C-alpha cells in the first residue's frame, strides 16, 4: 500500500478549510478507504472539535515528531468509522516545532498503512503552510466566492507553482445561488476566470454545516445534506470517478439565460 497525501489549504482563514478536511476524510472513509487526518495548525487546533474527537487526545503531532510517542499512539480512531484516524495538533507549541522534513518523514511512514493522508494546512503562507505542502502529492485550495478569499487563493497558487508542487485543484465553498443571481457574489465561472485551476468541487452554502461542526458530526454522514453530498462527490472524484456537478437550485438555468442575453 502506498497512500496519497492530500493537503487542503486556502491562504485566507475562515473559508471552511477545516470543515472541508473533516468532511472529505469522513466521505473517503465511508467509501472504504483507510484515512489519517493530520491537523497542521500547531498552536490552535480545531480539527479534533469538528470531528468530535477533542476529549480523546493523549498525544499530538509534536509528540510524534519529537519522539515522545510512536505514530500509532497519537492516532485517534474515529467513533463512527473504524478506518478513520486523526493526529491532532499541539496547542502549547508554535509552528516552528515541526519542519517540512518532519512532515515528509511522518507521511512516508503513514503511506505504508493507509490509502489517504489529509493534511489541514493553517491559514497564511508561513512555516505552517510550508510544513503542510512539503509531503503533498495533491493540493486542494478552498475558497469562498468573494474577492478577498480569491485573491489570497491566487497568491497560494503562485507559491505552489514556485515550489513546483504541480497544479492544485479548487473547491468553491459556501456558494449561494440566490446571491450569485443578484450579482452580490462571484459565480464559479468568475472564480475560475480569476484562478485558472481545475474546479474539483462546488459546495453550496448550508447553515447545517455550523450545527454539524459544533456537534462534531461532519455533514458528509448526512444523506440528505446538499453540502454533505458535494463533499461525497469530491471524495469520489479524488478516487478517479467521473461524477457530474450538482445542479445548485436554478444556477444552471440562470447561466443559460445569462448567456442568451449576452448574445443579443
Amino acid at each position: 500500500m502506498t497512500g496519497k497525501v492530500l493537503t487542503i489549504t486556502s491562504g485566507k482563514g475562515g473559508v471552511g478549510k477545516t470543515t472541508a478536511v473533516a468532511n472529505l476524510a469522513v466521505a473517503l472513509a465511508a467509501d472504504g478507504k483507510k484515512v489519517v487526518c493530520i491537523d497542521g495548525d500547531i498552536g490552535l487546533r480545531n480539527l479534533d472539535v469538528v470531528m468530535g474527537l477533542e476529549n480523546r487526545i493523549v498525544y499530538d503531532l509534536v509528540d510524534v515528531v519529537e519522539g515522545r510517542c510512536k505514530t500509532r499512539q497519537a492516532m485517534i480512531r474515529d467513533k463512527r468509522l473504524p478506518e478513520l484516524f486523526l493526529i491532532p495538533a499541539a496547542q502549547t507549541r508554535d509552528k516552528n516545532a515541526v519542519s517540512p522534513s518532519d512532515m515528509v518523514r511522518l507521511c512516508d511512514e503513514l503511506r505504508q498503512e493507509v490509502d489517504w493522508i489529509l493534511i489541514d494546512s493553517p491559514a497564511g503562507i508561513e512555516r505552517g503552510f510550508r510544513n503542510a505542502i512539503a509531503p503533498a502529492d495533491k493540493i486542494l485550495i478552498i475558497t469562498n466566492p468573494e474577492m478577498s478569499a480569491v485573491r489570497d487563493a491566487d497568491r497560494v497558487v503562485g507559491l505552489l507553482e514556485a515550489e513546483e508542487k504541480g497544479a492544485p485543484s479548487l473547491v468553491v465553498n459556501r456558494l449561494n445561488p440566490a446571491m450569485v443571481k443578484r450579482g452580490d457574489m462571484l459565480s464559479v465561472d468568475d472564480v475560475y476566470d480569476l484562478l485558472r485551476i481545475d474546479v474539483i468541487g462546488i459546495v453550496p452554502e448550508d447553515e447545517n454545516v455550523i450545527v454539524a461542526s459544533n456537534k462534531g458530526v461532519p455533514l458528509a454522514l448526512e444523506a440528505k445534506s446538499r453540502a454533505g453530498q458535494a463533499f461525497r462527490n469530491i471524495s469520489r472524484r479524488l478516487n478517479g470517478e467521473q461524477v457530474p456537478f450538482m445542479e445548485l437550485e436554478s444556477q444552471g438555468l440562470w447561466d443559460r439565460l445569462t448567456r442568451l442575453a449576452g448574445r443579443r
Side-chain angles (χ1 to χ4, degrees), residues 11 33-34 37 39 51 54 106 127 133 225 259:
K33 306 299 181 187
K34 191 170 184 180
C37 298
D39 189 343
M51 293 178 71
E54 68 274 16
L106 173 60
R127 175 66 170 265
I133 66 169
S225 165
R259 281 199 291 274

Side-chain angles (χ1 to χ4, degrees), residues 36-40 47 59-62 64 71-72 74-76 85-89 106 110:
V36 174
C37 298
I38 301 175
D39 189 343
L47 186 54
Y59 296 109
D60 58 47
L61 175 59
V62 176
V64 175
T71 304
R72 273 258 169 216
M75 289 167 58
I76 306 166
F85 299 86
L86 167 69
I87 298 177
L106 173 60
L110 289 168

Side-chain angles (χ1 to χ4, degrees), residues 61-117:
L61 175 59
V62 176
D63 290 325
V64 175
V65 167
E66 295 184 347
R68 280 187 293 279
C69 70
K70 293 190 169 124
T71 304
R72 273 258 169 216
Q73 290 175 286
M75 289 167 58
I76 306 166
R77 190 188 296 271
D78 186 79
K79 291 176 281 193
R80 300 157 296 251
L81 297 159
E83 294 291 81
L84 174 59
F85 299 86
L86 167 69
I87 298 177
Q91 280 186 304
T92 56
R93 303 291 294 275
D94 68 26
K95 292 170 178 60
N96 293 317
V98 177
S99 70
S101 59
D102 291 330
M103 291 295 285
V104 171
R105 274 196 301 275
L106 173 60
C107 288
D108 283 348
E109 178 188 343
L110 289 168
R111 284 177 196 274
Q112 311 310 312
E113 298 184 38
V114 302
D115 299 299
W116 285 96
I117 301 153

Side-chain angles (χ1 to χ4, degrees), residues 130-150:
R130 298 192 183 282
N131 288 345
I133 66 169
D137 300 311
K138 185 169 183 59
I139 296 172
L140 292 191
I141 296 177
I142 310 287
T143 189
N144 295 155
E146 56 180 76
M147 281 307 302
S148 61
V150 174

Side-chain angles (χ1 to χ4, degrees), residues 15-29:
V15 296
K17 178 174 43 60
T18 298
T19 301
V21 173
N23 278 284
L24 289 175
V26 161
L28 288 163

